Amino acid sequence: MRRTEIKQILHSDKADFEVKVNGWVRTFRNNQFIALNDGSTLSTLQVVVDREQLDESTLKRITTGACISATGKVVESQGRGQKYEVVADSLVILGDSDAESYPLQPKKHSLEFLREIAHLRFRTNTFGAVFRIRHHVAYAIHKFFNDRGFFYMHSPIITGSDAEGAGEMFRVTALDLNDLPKSEDGAVDYSKDFFNKETNLTVSGQLEAELAALALSKVYTFGPTFRAENSNTSRHLAEFWMIEPEVAFNDLDDNMDLAEDMLKYVINFVLEQSDEDLTFLENRLLEEEKNKPQNLRSPMALKEKLQFCVSNEFQRLTYTEAINILRNSKPNKKGKFQFPIEGYGADLQSEHERYLVEKHFKKPVILTDYPKEIKAFYMRMNEDEKTVRAMDILFPGIGEIVGGSQREERLDKLTKRMDEMDIPQHEMDWFLDTRRYGTCIHSGFGLGFERLVLFVTGMTNIRDVIPFPRYPGNAEF
Ligand code: 4AD
Ligand code: MG
C-alpha cells in the first residue's frame, strides 16, 4: 500500500477509506492518541491505536520524535479540533526516538534555542510553516517572471569581479594557505591559483544579468550571494539568496512598476496559498508581542499587513524629498535618531528608513535619485550630475527590501564614473563591451529573498527564515 499524505486526508471530502500514513510523532496521549505530522501541512493527524491489540514493547516505542507508519481506516473524528482521524489496525516503528534525550520536547522552545538545533527545528510548527512559505515565495517568483516572458539566467557563483565595487568578499582559493606561492615583491602569486587569478564568491549576479539582458531583453537571476561584511543584525546574512531581474528598454519608472507588481503578486500568491501557515504565524506573533508595550507591537496583524501591502500604492519620492521630511521630523528635532539628519548627502540608516515607512507614510516606500556618492558606479547619472537613477524599496519592519537602478548605458559617462571611483576599466572590459556594441537603456533591481520571506512570515530575525543561516561566527551544519 502506498502512503497517503496527511494533507490529503485532512482535506478529503469523505471518510471511510483505508490509508497508510507515515510521519513523526508529536505527542502520544493516554497510550491511545498519536498526533502525527508528516510536514505536508501544519496540522497533525490523530491516529488512534488500540492498546489491547498492540504489544507492550511497540507501545513504549511511540515516543515524541519517533517515525512511524500506521495503516487503518479514516473515520470522522469524535474528538474536538479535527474532522477526521485514522483508526490504526497496524503500526510499525520506522525510527525510534529516545524520549529522554530528544532535544525537541513537546513544549514551547525559544527561537534562539531552536537556532542551535537548526537540524531539528524543521519539525516544529513554526519552522514547518516558515519553510513551506519560503517554498511558495520562491515558486511564486519564478511563476511571476515566467508568465511575463522572462528567462531565468544562472549567474556564476565564483567570479573574478566585484559587482558592487566596494563589497567585502569571501575569497575562493585552492592554494595551500600554509605554503603560499609568492611573487618577488612578497605578495601572494594568484597566477599559481586554480583559476590563475584572484577569485571570490559573488556578491551579486547583476553585471552578468546585464550582459544577458542586452540580448534576451528580459532576464532574472535567482541564486545565492555572499557578503563578508561584519553585520551582526537581524536583517543581514553572510549567505543570502537574491533575485535580480534586468530588462532592456526599461527606464526607472518601468523598473519601479516591475518591482511593485512582483512584490504584490508574490504576497498575494502566499495569501491565497498558505492560509493555514499564515494564520498560525499570525497567532504566534500576537502571542509573542503580548508581553511587549503597546508601542512596540506590530500595528497590524500579519495577514492584515500583507493585505494592506497588496492593496495600496507604494509611496514614491526622491531621496531629497525624504531628507527634508526626515530633517523636519520629530525624532530628528528631539535628537532621538542615533544618526541625526543634518543635511543632504547622508546615507540613510535603518532608523530613518523605518521612520519614513512606519511613522510617516505608513506604507511601503520607493526612494529614488540618491546622491551618486553613496551609490554604485553603474547607476545612470541624472542631468544634475549629482544624483543617480537609483531606487530602494523600503518595507515596514524590514527597511530596505529591494535595491536597484536604471543603468548607465552611455560609455563615456560610465568610464568617467569608474575612473572617479578607482574601478579599473581593463578588468571590466567585458562589461564595457555592452556599452560599445549596441548599448541601450536598461534597468534592474535586486530583491533580498530572505528579507521578503521575513516580511511575509512575520518572523523577526532573518536567521529564522533560512534553513542554515551563515553570519559572523557561525557556519554550523
Ligand atoms: O542593495 P544591494 O546591495 O544591491 C545589489 O546587489 C544590486 N546589484 C542589485 C541589482 O540592482 N541587481 O542588495 C539588494 C538586496 C537588498 O535590497 C537587500 O534586500 C538584500 O539584497 N541584501 C541582503 N539580504 C540579507 N543579508 C544581507 N547581508 C544583504 N545585503 C543585501
Ligand atoms: Mg542596497
Side-chain angles (χ1 to χ4, degrees):
M1 200 176 185
R2 288 179 68 159
R3 90 169 169 112
T4 307
E5 287 181 12
I6 288 175
K7 182 178 183 180
Q8 212 179 321
I9 296 172
L10 295 176
H11 289 185
S12 162
D13 49 14
K14 58 167 180 32
D16 287 329
F17 56 97
E18 289 289 321
V19 287
K20 174 165 129 182
V21 285
N22 295 354
W24 292 267
V25 175
R26 286 289 176 81
T27 56
F28 186 35
R29 270 191 307 123
N30 295 347
N31 264 346
Q32 201 178 2
F33 302 109
I34 303 172
L36 194 69
N37 189 280
D38 70 357
S40 60
T41 184
L42 180 87
S43 304
T44 54
L45 174 72
Q46 176 153 293
V47 178
V48 187
V49 295
D50 185 346
R51 55 186 146 178
E52 305 297 298
Q53 244 184 25
L54 266 191
D55 59 275
E56 191 69 21
S57 67
T58 309
L59 216 51
K60 280 215 181 93
R61 293 166 66 198
I62 307 176
T63 53
T64 296
C67 188
I68 65 162
S69 179
T71 48
K73 198 177 210 174
V74 178
V75 300
E76 289 191 10
S77 179
Q78 305 298 311
R80 276 193 308 134
Q82 70 263 333
K83 193 165 151 209
Y84 300 127
E85 62 190 24
V86 167
V87 179
D89 46 44
S90 82
L91 188 144
V92 185
I93 310 285
L94 300 177
D96 284 291
S97 169
D98 176 41
E100 295 283 297
S101 63
Y102 186 51
L104 270 183
Q105 294 298 319
K107 61 162 198 168
K108 230 179 144 47
H109 292 292
S110 74
L111 294 174
E112 289 75 17
F113 170 72
L114 292 173
R115 219 173 281 147
E116 285 169 22
I117 52 162
H119 57 300
L120 294 173
R121 66 179 179 169
F122 295 104
R123 298 184 185 193
T124 64
N125 280 336
T126 299
F127 287 94
V130 165
F131 293 124
R132 275 187 297 272
I133 291 177
R134 185 179 162 107
H135 159 77
H136 288 303
V137 174
Y139 175 74
I141 289 167
H142 284 299
K143 183 160 167 51
F144 173 86
F145 285 119
N146 180 69
D147 289 355
R148 280 157 192 76
F150 283 69
F151 300 108
Y152 178 25
M153 203 50 54
H154 295 92
S155 44
I157 291 170
I158 301 174
T159 156
S161 90
D162 168 8
E164 293 304 293
E168 289 176 57
M169 299 176 296
F170 290 101
R171 177 156 293 153
V172 173
T173 180
L175 291 176
D176 178 355
L177 296 184
N178 293 313
D179 184 18
L180 290 169
K182 299 272 174 69
S183 51
E184 267 164 30
D185 60 359
V188 176
D189 182 4
Y190 286 102
S191 71
K192 301 260 163 44
D193 205 346
F194 189 90
F195 298 107
N196 305 129
K197 65 187 279 194
E198 259 188 275
T199 51
N200 49 270
L201 292 177
T202 186
V203 296
S204 157
Q206 176 195 324
L207 301 190
E208 291 86 356
E210 280 190 53
L211 311 178
L214 266 68
L216 296 151
S217 292
K218 298 195 286 190
V219 301
Y220 71 103
T221 72
F222 190 159
T225 49
F226 308 86
R227 302 207 178 166
E229 43 194 349
N230 198 6
S231 298
N232 245 311
T233 81
S234 57
R235 308 272 174 271
H236 289 87
L237 291 165
E239 175 180 301
F240 64 100
W241 289 67
M242 188 151 53
I243 295 94
E244 298 186 271
E246 194 68 35
V247 186
F249 317 116
N250 265 11
D251 64 14
L252 194 70
D253 288 319
D254 302 322
N255 205 31
M256 287 190 275
D257 290 344
L258 178 67
E260 186 169 339
D261 286 351
M262 178 196 64
L263 288 165
K264 287 178 171 171
Y265 176 91
V266 173
I267 293 168
N268 221 2
F269 185 93
V270 175
L271 275 168
E272 284 171 10
Q273 200 68 43
S274 307
D275 189 60
E276 189 188 27
D277 286 328
L278 284 176
T279 305
F280 173 81
L281 291 172
E282 172 168 300
N283 291 330
R284 194 201 74 84
L285 190 61
L286 288 172
E287 194 61 35
E288 188 184 88
E289 291 188 340
K290 251 189 199 159
N291 304 321
K292 287 188 178 172
Q294 191 71 40
N295 65 333
L296 292 182
R297 294 185 203 164
S298 314
M300 291 181 205
L302 179 60
K303 285 195 283 179
E304 188 191 357
K305 176 189 86 174
L306 300 180
Q307 204 67 60
F308 178 84
C309 187
V310 291
S311 47
N312 283 283
E313 304 254 298
F314 295 3
Q315 182 73 41
R316 300 182 184 189
L317 71 158
T318 65
Y319 165 91
T320 310
E321 289 164 335
I323 285 288
N324 285 332
I325 291 170
L326 287 167
R327 194 169 21 209
N328 297 319
S329 70
K330 245 195 216 154
N332 197 48
K333 288 185 167 161
K334 289 193 168 166
K336 292 273 164 65
F337 283 144
Q338 199 189 335
F339 299 91
I341 296 284
E342 266 135 30
Y344 178 87
D347 203 353
L348 298 185
Q349 303 295 326
S350 114
E351 55 179 349
H352 309 129
E353 298 177 342
R354 294 184 68 163
Y355 174 82
L356 290 171
V357 175
E358 289 157 37
K359 297 279 166 2
H360 191 82
F361 292 110
K362 295 194 167 66
K363 60 175 174 169
V365 167
I366 312 184
L367 289 186
T368 62
D369 302 287
Y370 283 72
K372 63 179 180 192
E373 289 81 10
I374 57 172
K375 289 293 179 189
F377 74 94
Y378 50 71
M379 298 192 180
R380 195 177 201 275
M381 190 66 69
N382 279 318
E383 303 260 296
D384 62 12
E385 299 274 335
K386 281 198 203 120
T387 57
V388 289
R389 296 244 76 190
M391 65 170 212
D392 274 9
I393 303 187
L394 315 178
F395 260 32
I398 304 287
E400 181 191 334
I401 195 163
V402 161
S405 72
Q406 184 169 331
R407 316 305 187 190
E408 184 55 83
E409 85 284 8
R410 300 160 295 188
L411 182 64
D412 55 334
K413 302 241 188 240
L414 182 60
T415 50
K416 177 162 171 259
R417 196 73 196 117
M418 288 171 79
D419 289 345
E420 284 168 7
M421 294 176 76
D422 283 328
I423 297 170
Q425 285 184 38
H426 63 94
E427 283 177 23
M428 303 276 295
D429 224 31
W430 48 273
F431 186 65
L432 295 174
D433 262 1
T434 50
R435 275 66 174 172
R436 290 190 185 108
Y437 310 112
T439 190
C440 68
I441 280 180
H442 61 287
S443 302
F445 62 84
L447 163 68
F449 183 59
E450 283 76 16
R451 294 209 182 158
L452 179 56
V453 179
L454 195 58
F455 180 74
V456 171
T457 57
M459 299 294 284
T460 41
N461 194 316
I462 200 164
R463 298 171 187 180
D464 294 331
V465 298
I466 186 166
F468 302 105
R470 271 81 182 89
Y471 49 90
N474 187 81
E476 283 303 306
F477 309 104

